[in-house]
Amino acid sequence: MNPPIASVHGHATERMFWTTMIILGIVFALTHILLFVYSYKYQHKEGRRAFFFPHNNKIEIIWTLIPAIVMAGLVFAGWKEWSRIMGPAPKDAVVLEVMGKQFNWLVRYPGRDQKLGVVNYRLIDATNEFGFDLSDQSGLDDFVAPEIHVPKGHPVLLRIRSRDVLHAVYMPHFRVQMYAVPGMPTKFWFTPTKTTDEMRAQTGNPKFNYELACNQICGRGHFAMKLNIVVDEPDDYVAWFSQQKSFSEQNPDILASFKQKTNKLASKAAAIPAAAVVPAANASL
Amino acid sequence: MAANLSNQAQVQGGAGVTEPGISHNEHTHHDEHHEQGFLSKYVFSTDHKTIAKQFLITGMLWAIIGGTLSSLFRLQLGWPESTFEWLQPVLGKWIEAGKLNPEFYLALVTMHGTIMVFFVLTAGLSGTFSNFLIPLQIGARDMASGFMNMLSYWFFFISSVIMFVSLFIETGPAAAGWTIYPPLSALPQAIPGSGAGMTLWLVSMALFIVSQLLGGVNYITTVINLRTQGMSMSKLPLTIWAFFLTAILGLLAFPVLFSAALLLIFDRSFGTSFFLSDIYIAGQALPNTGGSPILFQHLFWFLGHPEVYIVIMPAMGMVSEILATNSRKPIFGYRAMIGSLIGISLLSFVVWAHHMFVTGMNPFLGSVFMFLTLIIAVPSAVKTFNWLATLWRGNIRFTSAMLFSIGFVSLFIAGGLTGIVLGNAALDIQMHNTYFVVAHFHLVMGSSAFFGLFAGVYHWFPKMFGRHLDEKLGYIHFWLTFLGVYLVFLPMHYVGIAGFPRRYYAWTGFDTFSQFANLNKFISVAAILAFFAQFVFVFNFFYSIFRGRRASENPWNSTTLEWTTPVVPGHGNWPGAIPAVHRWPYDYSKPGAAEDFIPQNVPYSQTQSSNLPYEKEME
């Protein structure tokens, strides 16, 4: 049945899901009982006439209103929950970026400054898979990770991108799903409630891992775009976070090439005679 | 107006009123006026009944192909670890070392969806019965434009040929899902299936849309202009109301898909960026910026959602008719039934974005579309309760058509209810693109539309071919199919609730999903058996055309006009004058009447004993 829940909003949607299912179950059972009972009871008999009953406005109104009222209740409950889930993430949320590509996921953390650096898809190559633009200061401490680590009990904001076709970030245990759209960053925030170890104990499966799956058809490897998610105790998360090496540190040659570019630009700017700048300065006054 | 005049003239004086420009109502006996050759009678026929049969048989061929494809991918899903070397002779290079090629798996699901939704349940269902029943039930000699009607079929035929050819090309058929979302469908370097296969898909779909529009314009015009004397809109059988509204939906929605397809062709071939932006693929960054893949989804679902109602509404209309006829009882709440059809039609245009709750569009839009989506449950519920009320205290004859109609109601309830879960955006976060969705729409618009189609064929077969389908085989077909459908799609809900994503070639890569090995095997076995059960129907159909029990003019003691024609109506439908209509189509079991049905063309003056107070004043 439903995968065990590991996020705060998951509990709310789970309750709503089963409430809805119970209502549906009752309706399904009632209508089917009627369908089969009527079919059995009113079988053709020689000499009997069916009851001429073309319409009855009162009955019609009753069974228009009842579904309408039930639906109104469901809409209201759903709308409240939906607005809460889709609302702005708390300011102190842990931010990380997940980028889909054919056929795996790439993860980027903002580093100590909690700011994701600028990336540009035109800079992507075999080593610079994210397209880091290292002339931007806030990107210098960003690091990439082979799997997602998030702290338990702390809101997490996923920033989601794709660099080729549509993908969808799907984490069944956290009740999280959001498309990864090329050219249009999306986001989803949630609060994990159980660490991986706790879930292993609960499910009795020592190999249990939270999994991120792709849920939008993207080609040959669609069914195997798996990424592990590790929910740590906050202390463990901090320890893990501090051990990570930033992308610029690991790829000094890329950093150097950006430095060269910036220096070139700076020297070009310096070469322009000051007199040429004056009219512009005047104009801005 | 002129057509009406000539119709009335015929009602009064039979043949012989010649209105300039109104050609097809001029003759009562077309056949006497000009000999029809084989080609003009059976191939390039302008007769709506022949065209209907062409649609039906083409649809059946497509259904067999679509079902075969589904059996293939169900094999893969049931036994992802097995080898399928025995399929090598059939599939050739798509079996690699005994394994189904994952690209080809995606092509299978894509083509299965495309074929079933468009070619079988749109062309095969509404193409068949709108063509067959509209002129017969409204009292017209033929469609408003027989030639356009013929074109409508042949455009469909060409579209079919192109789609069929695309199954056999080197790079494989389209493989981006039947929803062909770009960038996957827009970039040939993304998957092989986005090469020539996708081009053919788009060309075929463009021709298919032309076919639908030609048909739709014709149905609408015919219903509006060519009704016989006395056949006001409030005396139309519900089938015609359903076909009429379906045609309007198609007319308004299909051009939007056409525009989406056109823009996609531009993006694919001419370097535009309607749906493309910031893409790095196959080792290079593309120059496209500023487009939005989500724009395509809006355009696609603006057709796509009305499309599911285009599929289901004709089935609803026919089921209403068959339930009333075989319960020997008026359909309960005739006006409410028309009202709910109109309501569903209107609402179907304003719910498209419920397919896109988690695409990253504005959550406020999500709220609006959730509200509109759940409203649509109300007219659907009204229809369901009215069907149940029609059965209540009836005098039910269980013909095969009746069984399939009752089956339709059951499947429509089962599938419709799960739509309430999916329409709730907060729950859709978990359910979107899982097998829960697959199960939902296969019940509510796949299987139940098929049941409507079967019910229609069993019910109107005598009018088409002058013989009955075999009832025993019909019963066998019904029970196997009914049980099969539930055994396939109920477990699918369960798999979906656990989060198993659709369009997965195998579930072996994920611990979360691999707990369903046995359930998937079970679904696969049931699906393949249910598919093979359909050959009972295929055999019954072709056998009965030649060997079935001969039918009388009105075998079901029905009230509507098509049963006032000869056993097999000729060209022009009625040998004499077109009957005039006096009453609504559901006078079954009227107290005081001699028989338990009074046909629409019987005037009130002949039924003094059963007239209701207000009807006495009508004559």
Side-chain angles (χ1 to χ4, degrees), chain A residues 83-131:
Chain A
S83 309
R84 222 163 50 101
I85 295 170
M86 287 290 157
K91 289 235 177 344
D92 62 340
V94 169
V95 180
L96 65 127
E97 184 178 73
V98 183
M99 182 163 87
K101 71 183 242 301
Q102 291 174 318
F103 293 101
N104 59 343
W105 298 100
L106 305 169
V107 186
R108 172 166 75 123
Y109 281 82
R112 291 186 187 287
D113 64 354
Q114 288 298 315
K115 268 199 201 134
L116 286 164
V118 174
V119 286
N120 182 341
Y121 80 101
R122 291 175 198 272
L123 299 173
I124 294 174
D125 58 34
T127 46
N128 189 355
E129 291 233 86
F130 264 92

Short mmCIF file of all heavy atoms in Angstrom, two decimals, chain A residues 83-131:
data_model
loop_
_atom_site.label_atom_id
_atom_site.label_comp_id
_atom_site.label_asym_id
_atom_site.label_seq_id
_atom_site.Cartn_x
_atom_site.Cartn_y
_atom_site.Cartn_z
N SER A 83 -2.74 24.88 -0.65
CA SER A 83 -2.16 26.21 -0.44
C SER A 83 -1.03 26.14 0.58
O SER A 83 -0.02 26.83 0.45
CB SER A 83 -3.22 27.19 0.06
OG SER A 83 -4.34 27.14 -0.77
N ARG A 84 -1.22 25.28 1.60
CA ARG A 84 -0.19 25.18 2.63
C ARG A 84 1.08 24.53 2.05
O ARG A 84 2.20 25.01 2.29
CB ARG A 84 -0.71 24.31 3.78
CG ARG A 84 -0.38 24.83 5.16
CD ARG A 84 -1.26 24.17 6.18
NE ARG A 84 -1.26 22.72 6.02
CZ ARG A 84 -0.55 21.89 6.78
NH1 ARG A 84 0.20 22.36 7.74
NH2 ARG A 84 -0.60 20.60 6.59
N ILE A 85 0.89 23.47 1.27
CA ILE A 85 2.05 22.77 0.72
C ILE A 85 2.79 23.66 -0.27
O ILE A 85 4.02 23.71 -0.29
CB ILE A 85 1.59 21.48 0.01
CG1 ILE A 85 1.00 20.50 1.01
CG2 ILE A 85 2.76 20.83 -0.74
CD1 ILE A 85 0.32 19.31 0.38
N MET A 86 2.02 24.38 -1.08
CA MET A 86 2.63 25.16 -2.14
C MET A 86 3.05 26.56 -1.69
O MET A 86 3.57 27.33 -2.48
CB MET A 86 1.65 25.29 -3.31
CG MET A 86 1.49 24.01 -4.08
SD MET A 86 2.99 23.66 -5.01
CE MET A 86 2.87 21.91 -5.22
N GLY A 87 2.78 26.88 -0.43
CA GLY A 87 3.12 28.21 0.08
C GLY A 87 4.63 28.42 0.10
O GLY A 87 5.40 27.51 -0.19
N PRO A 88 5.04 29.65 0.44
CA PRO A 88 6.48 29.94 0.45
C PRO A 88 7.20 29.11 1.51
O PRO A 88 6.66 28.84 2.58
CB PRO A 88 6.54 31.44 0.78
CG PRO A 88 5.20 31.77 1.37
CD PRO A 88 4.22 30.81 0.80
N ALA A 89 8.42 28.71 1.20
CA ALA A 89 9.21 27.92 2.14
C ALA A 89 9.67 28.81 3.29
O ALA A 89 9.84 30.01 3.11
CB ALA A 89 10.42 27.33 1.42
N PRO A 90 9.83 28.22 4.48
CA PRO A 90 10.36 29.02 5.61
C PRO A 90 11.73 29.59 5.24
O PRO A 90 12.49 29.00 4.47
CB PRO A 90 10.50 27.98 6.73
CG PRO A 90 9.62 26.85 6.34
CD PRO A 90 9.53 26.84 4.86
N LYS A 91 12.04 30.74 5.85
CA LYS A 91 13.28 31.44 5.51
C LYS A 91 14.54 30.62 5.85
O LYS A 91 15.55 30.73 5.20
CB LYS A 91 13.34 32.78 6.27
CG LYS A 91 12.32 33.79 5.73
CD LYS A 91 13.01 35.07 5.36
CE LYS A 91 12.13 36.14 4.74
NZ LYS A 91 10.82 35.74 4.25
N ASP A 92 14.42 29.80 6.92
CA ASP A 92 15.62 29.08 7.36
C ASP A 92 15.76 27.71 6.71
O ASP A 92 16.53 26.86 7.17
CB ASP A 92 15.59 28.93 8.88
CG ASP A 92 14.39 28.09 9.32
OD1 ASP A 92 13.43 27.99 8.52
OD2 ASP A 92 14.42 27.54 10.43
N ALA A 93 15.00 27.47 5.64
CA ALA A 93 15.04 26.14 5.03
C ALA A 93 16.41 25.83 4.44
O ALA A 93 17.11 26.73 3.97
CB ALA A 93 13.98 26.06 3.92
N VAL A 94 16.76 24.55 4.51
CA VAL A 94 17.97 24.09 3.85
C VAL A 94 17.70 24.08 2.35
O VAL A 94 16.72 23.51 1.90
CB VAL A 94 18.30 22.65 4.30
CG1 VAL A 94 19.39 22.05 3.42
CG2 VAL A 94 18.70 22.64 5.76
N VAL A 95 18.56 24.76 1.59
CA VAL A 95 18.33 24.84 0.15
C VAL A 95 19.26 23.88 -0.57
O VAL A 95 20.44 23.77 -0.23
CB VAL A 95 18.58 26.28 -0.36
CG1 VAL A 95 18.34 26.37 -1.86
CG2 VAL A 95 17.68 27.25 0.37
N LEU A 96 18.71 23.16 -1.56
CA LEU A 96 19.61 22.42 -2.43
C LEU A 96 18.99 22.35 -3.81
O LEU A 96 17.79 22.58 -3.97
CB LEU A 96 19.88 21.01 -1.90
CG LEU A 96 18.71 20.05 -1.85
CD1 LEU A 96 19.07 18.77 -2.57
CD2 LEU A 96 18.39 19.76 -0.40
N GLU A 97 19.80 22.09 -4.82
CA GLU A 97 19.29 22.06 -6.17
C GLU A 97 19.43 20.66 -6.75
O GLU A 97 20.46 20.01 -6.60
CB GLU A 97 20.07 23.04 -7.05
CG GLU A 97 19.49 23.09 -8.45
CD GLU A 97 20.22 24.09 -9.33
OE1 GLU A 97 21.36 23.81 -9.73
OE2 GLU A 97 19.65 25.16 -9.58
N VAL A 98 18.36 20.21 -7.39
CA VAL A 98 18.39 18.92 -8.08
C VAL A 98 18.21 19.20 -9.55
O VAL A 98 17.28 19.92 -9.93
CB VAL A 98 17.25 18.01 -7.60
CG1 VAL A 98 17.33 16.67 -8.28
CG2 VAL A 98 17.29 17.84 -6.11
N MET A 99 19.10 18.68 -10.37
CA MET A 99 18.96 18.90 -11.80
C MET A 99 18.84 17.56 -12.51
O MET A 99 19.67 16.66 -12.31
CB MET A 99 20.16 19.67 -12.35
CG MET A 99 19.99 19.95 -13.83
SD MET A 99 21.08 21.24 -14.42
CE MET A 99 22.51 20.28 -14.78
N GLY A 100 17.81 17.43 -13.33
CA GLY A 100 17.62 16.20 -14.08
C GLY A 100 18.32 16.28 -15.41
O GLY A 100 18.41 17.34 -16.02
N LYS A 101 18.86 15.15 -15.84
CA LYS A 101 19.38 15.06 -17.20
C LYS A 101 19.21 13.62 -17.64
O LYS A 101 18.99 12.73 -16.81
CB LYS A 101 20.85 15.48 -17.24
CG LYS A 101 21.83 14.52 -16.61
CD LYS A 101 23.23 15.06 -16.65
CE LYS A 101 24.21 14.23 -17.46
NZ LYS A 101 24.41 12.86 -17.03
N GLN A 102 19.29 13.38 -18.93
CA GLN A 102 19.20 11.99 -19.39
C GLN A 102 20.51 11.28 -19.03
O GLN A 102 21.55 11.65 -19.57
CB GLN A 102 19.00 11.93 -20.90
CG GLN A 102 17.63 12.44 -21.35
CD GLN A 102 17.55 12.51 -22.87
OE1 GLN A 102 18.50 12.94 -23.52
NE2 GLN A 102 16.45 12.09 -23.43
N PHE A 103 20.61 10.27 -18.19
CA PHE A 103 19.53 9.74 -17.39
C PHE A 103 19.98 9.64 -15.95
O PHE A 103 20.15 8.56 -15.43
CB PHE A 103 19.14 8.34 -17.91
CG PHE A 103 18.54 8.42 -19.28
CD1 PHE A 103 19.28 8.11 -20.40
CD2 PHE A 103 17.22 8.84 -19.45
CE1 PHE A 103 18.73 8.21 -21.66
CE2 PHE A 103 16.67 8.92 -20.72
CZ PHE A 103 17.43 8.61 -21.83
N ASN A 104 20.28 10.75 -15.33
CA ASN A 104 20.51 10.71 -13.89
C ASN A 104 20.24 12.08 -13.29
O ASN A 104 19.89 13.03 -13.98
CB ASN A 104 21.94 10.23 -13.57
CG ASN A 104 22.98 11.12 -14.20
OD1 ASN A 104 22.69 11.90 -15.10
ND2 ASN A 104 24.21 11.04 -13.74
N TRP A 105 20.39 12.15 -11.98
CA TRP A 105 20.14 13.40 -11.27
C TRP A 105 21.45 13.96 -10.77
O TRP A 105 22.33 13.22 -10.33
CB TRP A 105 19.23 13.15 -10.07
CG TRP A 105 17.88 12.64 -10.43
CD1 TRP A 105 17.46 11.34 -10.38
CD2 TRP A 105 16.76 13.40 -10.90
NE1 TRP A 105 16.15 11.24 -10.78
CE2 TRP A 105 15.69 12.49 -11.11
CE3 TRP A 105 16.55 14.75 -11.16
CZ2 TRP A 105 14.44 12.91 -11.56
CZ3 TRP A 105 15.30 15.15 -11.61
CH2 TRP A 105 14.27 14.24 -11.80
N LEU A 106 21.59 15.28 -10.82
CA LEU A 106 22.76 15.94 -10.27
C LEU A 106 22.29 16.81 -9.10
O LEU A 106 21.22 17.41 -9.16
CB LEU A 106 23.42 16.82 -11.32
CG LEU A 106 23.79 16.10 -12.62
CD1 LEU A 106 24.19 17.09 -13.69
CD2 LEU A 106 24.92 15.12 -12.37
N VAL A 107 23.12 16.86 -8.05
CA VAL A 107 22.72 17.59 -6.85
C VAL A 107 23.75 18.66 -6.55
O VAL A 107 24.95 18.42 -6.65
CB VAL A 107 22.62 16.63 -5.64
CG1 VAL A 107 22.07 17.37 -4.43
CG2 VAL A 107 21.76 15.44 -5.98
N ARG A 108 23.28 19.83 -6.18
CA ARG A 108 24.19 20.93 -5.87
C ARG A 108 23.73 21.59 -4.58
O ARG A 108 22.55 21.86 -4.39
CB ARG A 108 24.17 21.94 -7.02
CG ARG A 108 24.92 23.22 -6.75
CD ARG A 108 25.15 23.99 -8.03
NE ARG A 108 23.95 24.64 -8.52
CZ ARG A 108 23.86 25.97 -8.75
NH1 ARG A 108 24.90 26.75 -8.52
NH2 ARG A 108 22.76 26.49 -9.21
N TYR A 109 24.68 21.84 -3.69
CA TYR A 109 24.38 22.55 -2.44
C TYR A 109 25.01 23.94 -2.49
O TYR A 109 26.06 24.12 -3.11
CB TYR A 109 24.94 21.77 -1.24
CG TYR A 109 24.09 20.61 -0.83
CD1 TYR A 109 24.17 19.39 -1.49
CD2 TYR A 109 23.20 20.73 0.24
CE1 TYR A 109 23.39 18.32 -1.10
CE2 TYR A 109 22.41 19.66 0.63
CZ TYR A 109 22.51 18.46 -0.04
OH TYR A 109 21.72 17.40 0.35
N PRO A 110 24.41 24.91 -1.81
CA PRO A 110 24.90 26.28 -1.92
C PRO A 110 26.16 26.58 -1.11
O PRO A 110 26.70 27.67 -1.23
CB PRO A 110 23.73 27.12 -1.39
CG PRO A 110 22.99 26.20 -0.49
CD PRO A 110 23.17 24.83 -1.03
N GLY A 111 26.64 25.63 -0.31
CA GLY A 111 27.83 25.95 0.50
C GLY A 111 27.48 26.83 1.68
O GLY A 111 26.32 27.02 2.02
N ARG A 112 28.54 27.39 2.29
CA ARG A 112 28.33 28.10 3.56
C ARG A 112 27.51 29.37 3.43
O ARG A 112 26.80 29.76 4.36
CB ARG A 112 29.69 28.46 4.17
CG ARG A 112 30.41 27.24 4.64
CD ARG A 112 31.68 27.55 5.37
NE ARG A 112 32.39 26.29 5.62
CZ ARG A 112 32.01 25.40 6.52
NH1 ARG A 112 30.94 25.62 7.25
NH2 ARG A 112 32.67 24.28 6.69
N ASP A 113 27.59 30.02 2.28
CA ASP A 113 26.86 31.30 2.15
C ASP A 113 25.37 31.10 1.91
O ASP A 113 24.62 32.06 1.81
CB ASP A 113 27.47 32.14 1.02
CG ASP A 113 27.30 31.45 -0.34
OD1 ASP A 113 26.82 30.29 -0.36
OD2 ASP A 113 27.64 32.07 -1.36
N GLN A 114 24.93 29.84 1.80
CA GLN A 114 23.51 29.52 1.58
C GLN A 114 22.94 30.17 0.32
O GLN A 114 21.76 30.37 0.21
CB GLN A 114 22.68 29.92 2.82
CG GLN A 114 22.89 29.02 4.01
CD GLN A 114 22.47 27.58 3.73
OE1 GLN A 114 21.44 27.30 3.18
NE2 GLN A 114 23.34 26.62 4.11
N LYS A 115 23.84 30.52 -0.60
CA LYS A 115 23.38 31.10 -1.86
C LYS A 115 23.88 30.23 -3.01
O LYS A 115 25.08 29.99 -3.11
CB LYS A 115 23.98 32.51 -2.04
CG LYS A 115 23.10 33.60 -1.50
CD LYS A 115 23.54 34.92 -2.13
CE LYS A 115 23.08 36.09 -1.31
NZ LYS A 115 24.14 37.07 -1.11
N LEU A 116 22.96 29.79 -3.87
CA LEU A 116 23.38 29.03 -5.03
C LEU A 116 23.99 29.99 -6.04
O LEU A 116 23.43 31.05 -6.31
CB LEU A 116 22.18 28.32 -5.67
CG LEU A 116 21.66 27.09 -4.90
CD1 LEU A 116 20.27 26.72 -5.36
CD2 LEU A 116 22.61 25.91 -5.05
N GLY A 117 25.13 29.63 -6.58
CA GLY A 117 25.79 30.52 -7.53
C GLY A 117 25.12 30.50 -8.89
O GLY A 117 24.26 29.67 -9.18
N VAL A 118 25.52 31.45 -9.73
CA VAL A 118 24.94 31.54 -11.08
C VAL A 118 25.43 30.37 -11.93
O VAL A 118 26.59 29.99 -11.87
CB VAL A 118 25.39 32.88 -11.73
CG1 VAL A 118 24.94 32.94 -13.18
CG2 VAL A 118 24.82 34.04 -10.94
N VAL A 119 24.52 29.80 -12.67
CA VAL A 119 24.92 28.77 -13.64
C VAL A 119 24.39 29.18 -15.01
O VAL A 119 23.42 29.92 -15.12
CB VAL A 119 24.36 27.37 -13.29
CG1 VAL A 119 25.10 26.76 -12.12
CG2 VAL A 119 22.88 27.45 -13.00
N ASN A 120 25.05 28.69 -16.05
CA ASN A 120 24.64 29.03 -17.40
C ASN A 120 24.74 27.76 -18.24
O ASN A 120 25.81 27.14 -18.30
CB ASN A 120 25.56 30.12 -17.96
CG ASN A 120 25.14 30.53 -19.35
OD1 ASN A 120 24.41 29.82 -20.03
ND2 ASN A 120 25.61 31.70 -19.77
N TYR A 121 23.64 27.39 -18.88
CA TYR A 121 23.64 26.11 -19.58
C TYR A 121 24.63 26.08 -20.74
O TYR A 121 25.07 25.04 -21.18
CB TYR A 121 22.23 25.77 -20.07
CG TYR A 121 21.80 26.47 -21.33
CD1 TYR A 121 21.83 25.80 -22.57
CD2 TYR A 121 21.33 27.78 -21.31
CE1 TYR A 121 21.42 26.44 -23.72
CE2 TYR A 121 20.93 28.41 -22.47
CZ TYR A 121 20.98 27.74 -23.67
OH TYR A 121 20.58 28.36 -24.83
N ARG A 122 25.05 27.26 -21.21
CA ARG A 122 26.00 27.28 -22.32
C ARG A 122 27.42 26.93 -21.87
O ARG A 122 28.30 26.70 -22.68
CB ARG A 122 26.02 28.66 -22.97
CG ARG A 122 24.74 28.99 -23.70
CD ARG A 122 24.76 30.41 -24.22
NE ARG A 122 23.41 30.86 -24.54
CZ ARG A 122 22.82 30.68 -25.71
NH1 ARG A 122 23.46 30.04 -26.67
NH2 ARG A 122 21.60 31.12 -25.93
N LEU A 123 27.63 26.93 -20.54
CA LEU A 123 28.97 26.61 -20.02
C LEU A 123 29.11 25.13 -19.68
O LEU A 123 30.16 24.69 -19.22
CB LEU A 123 29.25 27.45 -18.77
CG LEU A 123 29.25 28.97 -18.98
CD1 LEU A 123 29.36 29.69 -17.65
CD2 LEU A 123 30.41 29.36 -19.89
N ILE A 124 28.02 24.36 -19.89
CA ILE A 124 28.06 22.94 -19.50
C ILE A 124 29.05 22.19 -20.38
O ILE A 124 29.10 22.39 -21.59
CB ILE A 124 26.66 22.31 -19.64
CG1 ILE A 124 25.71 22.93 -18.61
CG2 ILE A 124 26.73 20.80 -19.44
CD1 ILE A 124 24.27 22.48 -18.74
N ASP A 125 29.87 21.36 -19.77
CA ASP A 125 30.67 20.39 -20.52
C ASP A 125 30.87 19.16 -19.65
O ASP A 125 30.22 19.03 -18.61
CB ASP A 125 32.00 21.01 -20.98
CG ASP A 125 32.83 21.52 -19.82
OD1 ASP A 125 32.77 20.90 -18.74
OD2 ASP A 125 33.52 22.55 -19.98
N ALA A 126 31.78 18.28 -20.04
CA ALA A 126 31.90 17.00 -19.34
C ALA A 126 32.29 17.16 -17.87
O ALA A 126 31.86 16.40 -17.02
CB ALA A 126 32.91 16.11 -20.06
N THR A 127 33.12 18.14 -17.55
CA THR A 127 33.50 18.31 -16.14
C THR A 127 32.58 19.30 -15.44
O THR A 127 32.26 19.13 -14.27
CB THR A 127 34.95 18.83 -16.01
OG1 THR A 127 35.11 19.89 -16.95
CG2 THR A 127 35.96 17.74 -16.29
N ASN A 128 32.16 20.33 -16.14
CA ASN A 128 31.30 21.33 -15.53
C ASN A 128 29.85 21.01 -15.85
O ASN A 128 29.20 21.68 -16.64
CB ASN A 128 31.68 22.72 -16.07
CG ASN A 128 30.99 23.83 -15.30
OD1 ASN A 128 30.17 23.57 -14.44
ND2 ASN A 128 31.32 25.06 -15.63
N GLU A 129 29.34 19.95 -15.19
CA GLU A 129 28.04 19.43 -15.57
C GLU A 129 26.89 20.38 -15.24
O GLU A 129 25.83 20.28 -15.81
CB GLU A 129 27.81 18.10 -14.85
CG GLU A 129 28.71 17.01 -15.38
CD GLU A 129 27.93 15.79 -15.79
OE1 GLU A 129 27.48 15.80 -16.95
OE2 GLU A 129 27.76 14.88 -14.99
N PHE A 130 27.11 21.26 -14.29
CA PHE A 130 26.06 22.19 -13.93
C PHE A 130 26.11 23.47 -14.75
O PHE A 130 25.16 24.24 -14.77
CB PHE A 130 26.17 22.56 -12.44
CG PHE A 130 25.29 21.73 -11.57
CD1 PHE A 130 25.74 20.56 -11.00
CD2 PHE A 130 23.98 22.12 -11.35
CE1 PHE A 130 24.90 19.80 -10.21
CE2 PHE A 130 23.13 21.37 -10.56
CZ PHE A 130 23.60 20.19 -9.98
N GLY A 131 27.25 23.72 -15.38
CA GLY A 131 27.43 24.98 -16.07
C GLY A 131 27.73 26.11 -15.11
O GLY A 131 27.22 27.22 -15.24
#
